[in-house]
Amino acid sequence: MAPIVRIENVVKEYPLGNLVVRALQGVDLSIDRGEFTTIAGPSGSGKTTLLNLIGCVDVPTSGVVEIDGDSTSKLHDKELTRLRLHKIGFIFQSFNLVSVLDLFQNVEFPLLLQGGLTKKERELRVRDMVDKVGLTPQLRQRPNELSGGQRQRVAIARALVTKPKLVLADEPTANLDSVTGLAIIELMREMNAKESTTFIFSTHDPKVMEHASRIVHIVDGRIHSDERTDFLSSPLAETGGRAEAQAAP
Amino acid sequence: MNSLSYWAVLFVASVRNIFTHKLKSAVVGLLMCFGTGLVVTGTALLDSMEDSMSKSITSSLAGHLQVYSAEAKDELALFGGMMMGREDIGRIANFEDLERVAEQVENVRAIVPMGIDIASITGGNETDRVADTLRTAVAARDQAQIDLLRLQLSLMADALRSEFEAKQAITADKEALAADLQNLDRLQSDAFWLSLSDDPELAIQFIETKIAPMSSDGLIVYLRYVGTDLDEFTKNFERFEIVKGEAVPAGHRGFLFAEKFYEDHVKHKVARDLDRIHRQVHEEEKTIAEDALLRTKVGQMSRQYRRISFQLRPDDAQNLTSELRTMMPEVRAKDGAEPSLEVLLQAFLEVNDQNLDERYAYFYESIAPKIELYKIKVGDVMTIRAYTRSGYLKAVNTKVYGTFNFRGLERSDLAAAANLMDIVTFRDLYGLMSETRREELEQIREEVGAAEIDRQNAEDTLFGGSGQSLVAAPEDTAGFDEFRGQDLAGIREDLAEAYNQRFDAETVARGVALNAAVVLEDPDRLDETKAALQAAFDRSGQPMKVVDWQTASGIVGQFIIVIRLVLYVAIFIIFLVALVIINNTMVMATMERTTEIGTLRAMGAQRSTVMTMFLFETVVLGLLAGVAGALGGALFVTWLGHVGIPAGNQDTLIFLFGGPRMYPAFGLANLAVGLVSILVVSLVSTLYPARLATRIPPVVAMQAKD
Ligand SMILES: Nc1ncnc2c1ncn2[C@@H]1O[C@H](COP(=O)(O)OP(=O)(O)OP(=O)(O)O)[C@@H](O)[C@H]1O
Ligand SMILES: [Mg+2]
């Protein structure tokens, strides 16, 4: 089976006044289905740029980005949007929930965009997903009534509710304290295991990195190292879950 | 296909966004609310006004349609146009032919012939009147009356002399003044009164030519009149009603003054001023003490005392003097002596808030019956003069039967802009002759040896040929000048006495008119009938113009169009401003929501979804604000409909309002127009910001840091 993400000699340049910033300078990367990969690297190394390309919210200057076999450079905005809708889930650093919608509606939203499910099926899906992230009691609350950790868990539910093949998270723990952050990573790991969804997330927190099964290091827009840890579970997972429970009673 | 829930959630998000972005919604909502209210109120008021005005115009003078010659050089302007009533609207050669065609057209109730023109009437001044009475007295050898008149003239001379003496110091033309004073001396001399028995006419002419011009209370009034079939007019213009006197009997020649015109232009000046002051105090709740303008008016009125004293017969003057002395014992002459009548009258007219009612009553009870309250009284025969088309002054005598009003428009000058006259007299005055009269003239001309003038030239010769200029007709010879150079004394007599002649319905129909008013059975089918009538005239070979009342009424009719235009322009400008403000506010709101929109796009929302959300927001806000504004406007109009909008003394307003107050009402159409226009405006103003929103790239979702 082909890899879910295949990147070949990708270059991404940003114009900056008269200059051109080369954020990625020839990246080759292949990610298989079910992997739990982190992209690590110092600030400005090109993590976000890479994730944007994988997430189809941007296209490379040159090179090939293939998602589930489709090359993104040939696609128009409409098709890219459809691809994102059906194959990719996003978890953002700042959670990015729709503030005027409640928890349920936020999670339901991608399903509505997709269409195709009955109201009942949708409700079951949403409730199931919310239950998995442990927020059933907050089902009708609005984002501003939730803590940061809770919000990111809503975001995870929202990213996963459509059962995407690929979930991208750009520094999902950066806006959370370390204990909550680890709990979020643990939840993602759990989802990765249960739903066999491919996860790619970026971070520069070494503690968070440890939880990944594969760590891709980039420096200055180039892949510096690519290692598989085969690290599957961590004792921190248990303590992290408890800590999160304590942090948000 | 998107599910209902998809739309529902977008809708919910939009509504919540409206209430979340309070400032933006408040600004935009208020603008929309105000805009809708304005459109509803404005259009409702205009519609009501148009309705009222249409009733004013159609039921007073115009009828629903007007017909006039297709050869007209100018456009018909019933209530006066650019040409000040001297428009050349051609002529309808034989009204009967027109009538026959019009009566065949369905929905036509009546067609009334008309001829509109400007004329002048004169009433001599006081001295003239005394001279006239003197002439009769001399002829009747009534010495007692002659003595009385001598006394009256002598009093007038005294008054004039004291005025001139005061003037002497400041006048430049000292010679003329000296001549005037000399003439006054002569009037008061015994020699003059002795000469009266030798050559009375010479003496009386001296009074008429030398004394009368010294006092300036003569009357020349210019008026507009409509010559028409008075019977038909009365029958078909429902608002017409007689106020003073009686209607002109069928088949009689005669004149009817518009009541307001009569009161404003023919009534005694002092009475008119007093009426006005009385009305302003009582109807407009002004006080003389507080209103400077009103005080000036009182001052002006009190200086008009001579208009009363000149008209009083000596015995009446004496009685009035003693009555006023008793009434106002505090009034003294300058030197402290017993005050003269003139001093007393001036003091009497110096009214204030306390004594106004009492003096007003006294004036009408004790003074008015002794003076000429109207220069031309109901029942009088007056001479009316007009220039014919070719520039000749023509005059006829006509009897004043009474005055009339159009109900509800009693206070409107515009409605009173035209007085009424029978059409037969109009034809005489306008220089249009009936077939019989033309034949008569022809005969007489032959008798006096003017046979070389052929028939074609007859009218030119009679009514002034093209070679003769306007100045050729001297105004002071109040005769029938178009007959000059020809010995047509017989016709002169004939015309002067014409007011006594009768005519039959056929004479009315069979003859010239300038235009004709068409009254319809069902005014709602005006356009349809107009077309039918036009077609009928075209078929009959009589080229006629058929215009609706609005066009026919000239400037006044266009007025509503102008107001409508002004309103639309105002609304347009307000909407334009609203558009810009809404647009800017929305653009700012869009900027604030960049992350949210980017997130939605990253999650897989298409551009169309973003557009839908924005449009939903505007439409929902537009509807909420629009309904509120429409309701507000409707409530406001309903309230206005209860209390009425006063036209005040604004003549045009009275006319536009169809009466002293307009009670506007709104229709569903007004609400619909208000709502639709605000929705259009809000949608248009959202297009740009919404498009901007759809251009937000999904990448921004990733860059968000808060
Ligand atoms: N839109 C842009 N325009 C211009 N330059 C950009 C743009 N986005 C990123 N860059 C530049 O590209 C390089 C890589 O940026 P990127 O955001 O991918 O780094 P990063 O690894 O995500 O950094 P961080 O850890 O700070 O988020 C940086 O030098 C950055 O300044
Ligand atoms: Mg980054």
Side-chain angles (χ1 to χ4, degrees):
Chain A
M1 213 180 186
I4 181 84
V5 177
R6 195 173 71 82
I7 289 172
E8 206 182 292
N9 197 22
V10 154
V11 173
K12 180 67 184 178
E13 293 174 343
Y14 293 109
L16 194 78
N18 293 338
L19 301 171
V20 169
V21 179
R22 276 202 155 197
L24 295 177
Q25 7 203 357
V27 172
D28 295 291
L29 183 66
S30 180
I31 289 170
D32 289 326
R33 288 160 210 270
E35 280 195 281
F36 194 70
T37 310
T38 185
I39 313 256
S43 188
S45 56
K47 303 185 293 292
T48 301
T49 307
L50 185 58
L51 280 176
N52 284 347
L53 296 182
I54 298 172
C56 302
V57 293
D58 212 345
V59 286
T61 311
S62 70
V64 177
V65 175
E66 255 181 40
I67 304 299
D68 202 17
D70 293 324
S71 173
T72 59
S73 57
K74 292 181 198 130
L75 300 180
H76 292 293
D77 178 77
K78 215 169 181 166
E79 292 140 352
L80 284 175
T81 307
R82 207 173 297 137
L83 197 149
R84 290 198 298 270
L85 176 61
H86 290 282
K87 296 191 173 164
I88 304 170
F90 285 93
I91 298 164
F92 305 94
Q93 181 183 330
S94 319
F95 326 133
N96 294 14
L97 300 179
V98 180
S99 60
V100 293
L101 299 180
D102 65 21
L103 193 161
F104 181 91
Q105 288 166 324
N106 262 286
V107 177
E108 187 192 26
F109 200 85
L111 291 178
L112 290 170
L113 289 177
Q114 279 191 338
L117 293 182
T118 65
K119 196 176 162 64
K120 247 211 185 94
E121 289 166 335
R122 259 198 330 267
E123 187 162 349
L124 271 173
R125 262 287 189 100
V126 172
R127 282 182 179 281
D128 180 46
M129 209 58 233
V130 172
D131 189 49
K132 280 181 182 147
V133 300
L135 286 175
T136 304
Q138 284 82 17
L139 196 65
R140 286 298 166 191
Q141 287 182 11
R142 297 261 196 109
N144 60 357
E145 297 162 333
L146 301 172
S147 72
Q150 286 174 325
R151 284 187 215 182
Q152 198 60 306
R153 284 198 270 158
V154 176
I156 292 172
R158 183 178 64 178
L160 286 165
V161 75
T162 56
K163 300 191 192 300
K165 293 189 168 148
L166 179 63
V167 173
L168 301 177
D170 190 13
E171 309 203 31
T173 59
N175 281 355
L176 301 170
D177 62 83
S178 60
V179 180
T180 315
L182 285 175
I184 287 296
I185 293 298
E186 196 48 44
L187 178 61
M188 281 164 54
R189 190 81 179 91
E190 220 179 290
M191 294 300 180
N192 166 249
K194 272 190 205 153
E195 318 273 328
S196 68
T197 309
T198 314
F199 272 79
I200 305 171
F201 66 98
S202 71
T203 184
H204 30 222
D205 186 343
K207 275 194 193 136
V208 171
M209 267 176 248
E210 286 170 15
H211 293 258
S213 59
R214 180 179 174 187
I215 303 173
V216 177
H217 260 280
I218 49 174
V219 177
D220 284 342
R222 283 196 182 86
I223 292 188
H224 183 259
S225 68
D226 184 349
E227 42 185 307
R228 281 168 212 270
T229 60
D230 288 327
F231 183 92
L232 281 175
S233 72
S234 147
L236 265 175
E238 314 304 313
T239 47
R242 275 198 299 278
E244 161 69 5
Q246 280 158 8
Chain B
M1 205 35 236
N2 291 306
S3 66
L4 198 65
S5 307
Y6 163 81
W7 298 108
V9 82
L10 289 192
F11 182 75
V12 167
S14 307
V15 172
R16 290 201 183 145
N17 264 322
I18 291 171
F19 290 101
T20 308
H21 301 90
K22 287 197 181 68
L23 183 68
K24 179 214 92 176
S25 302
V27 170
V28 175
L30 272 177
L31 270 170
M32 289 172 167
C33 183
F34 177 73
T36 319
L38 188 84
V39 173
V40 171
T41 313
T43 55
L45 285 184
L46 260 180
D47 289 351
S48 303
M49 202 186 281
E50 188 158 5
D51 208 44
S52 320
M53 190 188 76
S54 108
K55 284 188 188 118
S56 295
I57 294 183
T58 54
S59 60
S60 66
L61 201 55
H64 300 107
L65 296 171
Q66 283 275 338
V67 181
Y68 61 106
S69 167
E71 282 154 27
K73 288 198 189 74
D74 300 312
E75 277 175 12
L76 177 65
L78 288 176
F79 295 93
M82 297 300 178
M83 307 281 295
M84 307 302 292
R86 295 298 287 189
E87 289 83 7
D88 182 356
I89 58 159
R91 60 173 71 160
I92 297 164
N94 190 358
F95 174 71
E96 207 178 26
D97 297 339
L98 204 73
E99 195 177 25
R100 209 171 295 130
V101 174
E103 274 169 356
Q104 297 302 313
V105 176
E106 201 255 341
N107 196 29
V108 169
R109 190 169 86 199
I111 179 161
V112 184
M114 289 182 173
I116 302 173
D117 197 19
I118 291 181
S120 68
I121 50 171
T122 46
N125 68 12
E126 265 339 290
T127 325
D128 275 330
R129 257 178 3 94
V130 175
D132 238 20
T133 328
L134 188 60
R135 192 177 273 125
T136 330
V138 170
R141 298 175 198 287
D142 183 349
Q143 195 52 47
Q145 176 75 352
I146 294 171
D147 289 346
L148 213 60
L149 292 167
R150 179 179 175 179
L151 191 60
Q152 191 174 351
L153 282 168
S154 179
L155 286 171
M156 284 179 174
D158 282 343
L160 284 170
R161 185 177 289 110
S162 61
E163 190 181 299
F164 288 163
E165 274 158 6
K167 233 197 248 174
Q168 211 156 25
I170 51 168
T171 185
D173 195 356
K174 294 220 164 40
E175 249 171 68
L177 202 60
D180 280 346
L181 283 169
Q182 229 168 7
N183 284 329
L184 287 178
D185 288 341
R186 180 165 166 215
L187 178 69
Q188 285 177 313
S189 69
D190 288 338
F192 175 78
W193 292 94
L194 278 173
S195 74
L196 188 67
S197 42
D198 300 339
D199 190 345
E201 197 46 38
L202 194 73
I204 289 166
Q205 273 180 19
F206 167 76
I207 298 173
E208 284 175 338
T209 56
K210 300 289 183 209
I211 307 293
M214 290 186 207
S215 58
S216 52
D217 63 342
L219 171 90
I220 300 178
V221 179
Y222 289 89
L223 51 78
R224 267 182 115 230
Y225 71 91
V226 179
T228 185
D229 181 340
L230 288 171
D231 291 337
E232 282 294 309
F233 189 94
T234 322
K235 233 183 282 164
N236 287 297
F237 291 91
E238 299 129 20
R239 287 203 182 192
F240 175 90
E241 63 187 0
I242 290 288
V243 182
K244 296 189 173 84
E246 51 172 336
V248 180
H252 283 60
R253 289 165 174 247
F255 190 94
L256 293 172
F257 273 111
E259 168 70 12
K260 183 157 197 300
F261 184 89
Y262 191 61
E263 288 289 311
D264 285 353
H265 299 279
V266 186
K267 200 176 191 178
H268 192 282
K269 176 91 168 68
V270 175
R272 221 191 300 161
D273 289 349
L274 196 58
D275 284 350
R276 201 163 295 157
I277 292 163
H278 189 257
R279 194 166 55 229
Q280 287 192 11
V281 167
H282 285 274
E283 286 174 27
E284 290 167 35
E285 280 152 26
K286 290 182 181 165
T287 60
I288 300 169
E290 280 163 33
D291 192 298
L293 226 62
L294 204 55
R295 238 182 357 259
T296 315
K297 224 168 255 171
V298 170
Q300 281 167 354
M301 177 176 74
S302 68
R303 285 192 291 279
Q304 304 285 336
Y305 57 87
R306 194 166 293 139
R307 288 180 190 273
I308 297 175
S309 63
F310 270 24
Q311 289 191 356
L312 290 171
R313 288 184 358 186
D315 50 341
D316 285 336
Q318 213 137 44
N319 290 341
L320 188 62
T321 308
S322 56
E323 270 187 51
L324 289 178
R325 274 182 190 160
T326 330
M327 184 198 269
M328 303 176 296
E330 71 285 355
V331 175
R332 313 298 300 176
K334 275 207 191 74
D335 52 11
E338 284 286 299
S340 69
L341 177 60
E342 304 215 324
V343 172
L344 285 164
L345 276 173
Q346 190 165 8
F348 173 82
L349 294 174
E350 200 74 64
V351 290
N352 59 34
D353 293 310
Q354 286 73 47
N355 63 26
L356 175 66
D357 287 350
E358 181 198 332
R359 293 198 178 172
Y360 180 83
Y362 181 83
F363 177 85
Y364 277 104
E365 204 172 295
S366 306
I367 300 180
K370 294 168 190 159
I371 60 175
E372 284 270 280
L373 197 54
Y374 295 94
K375 295 268 176 182
I376 295 158
K377 287 186 286 295
V378 169
D380 280 356
V381 173
M382 67 174 181
T383 303
I384 176 164
R385 283 157 233 254
Y387 284 101
T388 61
R389 273 290 142 203
S390 36
Y392 270 83
L393 193 66
K394 196 162 162 67
V396 292
N397 287 343
T398 182
K399 183 173 171 185
V400 177
Y401 276 87
T403 67
F404 72 93
N405 252 345
F406 292 116
R407 224 171 295 114
L409 299 174
E410 290 86 354
R411 296 287 270 292
S412 167
D413 276 322
L414 271 168
N419 303 281
L420 289 176
M421 193 163 76
D422 68 281
I423 194 158
V424 179
T425 310
F426 159 76
R427 287 175 190 151
D428 287 344
L429 189 57
Y430 196 72
L432 301 172
M433 307 232 135
S434 63
E435 209 49 45
T436 41
R437 185 164 292 281
R438 197 188 293 269
E439 275 158 24
E440 274 171 39
L441 265 174
E442 201 66 19
Q443 215 176 351
I444 290 161
R445 206 174 35 224
E446 261 157 41
E447 280 165 19
V448 299
E452 71 275 13
I453 304 166
D454 62 42
R455 278 192 78 98
Q456 240 109 28
N457 282 335
E459 201 179 292
D460 272 358
T461 315
L462 282 170
F463 305 134
S466 46
Q468 290 156 307
S469 70
L470 204 134
V471 264
E475 262 185 80
D476 54 346
T477 47
F480 311 96
D481 294 278
E482 67 274 28
F483 300 131
R484 260 184 341 151
Q486 298 173 41
D487 183 16
L488 297 176
I491 297 223
R492 234 190 250 206
E493 273 303 296
D494 190 19
L495 221 49
E497 294 302 319
Y499 67 88
N500 271 329
Q501 292 177 351
R502 303 288 146 81
F503 51 79
D504 51 23
E506 216 165 275
T507 319
V508 173
R510 206 174 281 166
V512 170
L514 299 189
N515 57 302
V518 177
V519 180
L520 303 183
E521 298 282 0
D522 176 9
D524 288 339
R525 284 163 50 212
L526 186 142
D527 287 331
E528 185 192 319
T529 314
K530 181 182 155 198
L533 206 55
Q534 183 72 65
F537 284 129
D538 291 347
R539 265 200 310 277
S540 73
Q542 301 183 69
M544 289 290 155
K545 270 190 206 173
V546 183
V547 294
D548 59 30
W549 57 268
Q550 201 155 16
T551 317
S553 46
I555 293 173
V556 178
Q558 315 302 315
F559 199 69
I560 197 100
I561 299 174
V562 173
I563 299 179
R564 202 171 269 282
L565 219 70
V566 168
L567 180 81
Y568 288 165
V569 168
I571 287 177
F572 180 77
I573 291 171
I574 288 170
F575 275 4
L576 211 65
V577 172
L579 212 116
V580 170
I581 298 178
I582 294 176
N583 180 73
N584 284 356
T585 320
M586 297 284 281
V587 167
M588 268 156 59
T590 309
M591 297 305 178
E592 275 173 30
R593 285 159 66 181
T594 304
T595 308
E596 185 187 305
I597 293 158
T599 306
L600 293 181
R601 295 279 286 121
M603 275 161 54
Q606 294 287 0
R607 285 182 175 162
S608 57
T609 304
V610 175
M611 177 65 94
T612 307
M613 279 184 79
F614 265 76
L615 293 188
F616 263 163
E617 248 183 83
T618 317
V619 169
V620 169
L621 184 57
L623 274 177
L624 285 178
V627 166
L631 278 181
L635 274 176
F636 182 60
V637 174
T638 309
W639 175 74
L640 283 178
H642 268 286
V643 297
I645 308 169
N649 271 345
Q650 290 291 293
D651 174 42
T652 325
L653 279 187
I654 297 175
F655 198 73
L656 287 177
F657 287 7
R661 261 166 195 275
M662 180 172 77
Y663 297 92
F666 70 91
L668 283 181
N670 302 126
L671 297 184
V673 165
L675 277 179
V676 167
S677 52
I678 204 65
L679 280 182
V680 168
V681 166
S682 38
L683 281 180
V684 168
S685 58
T686 315
L687 282 183
Y688 176 69
R691 198 182 144 71
L692 217 63
T694 63
R695 299 282 142 185
I696 292 173
V699 168
V700 300
M702 312 293 261
Q703 292 157 349
K705 307 239 152 74
D706 59 18

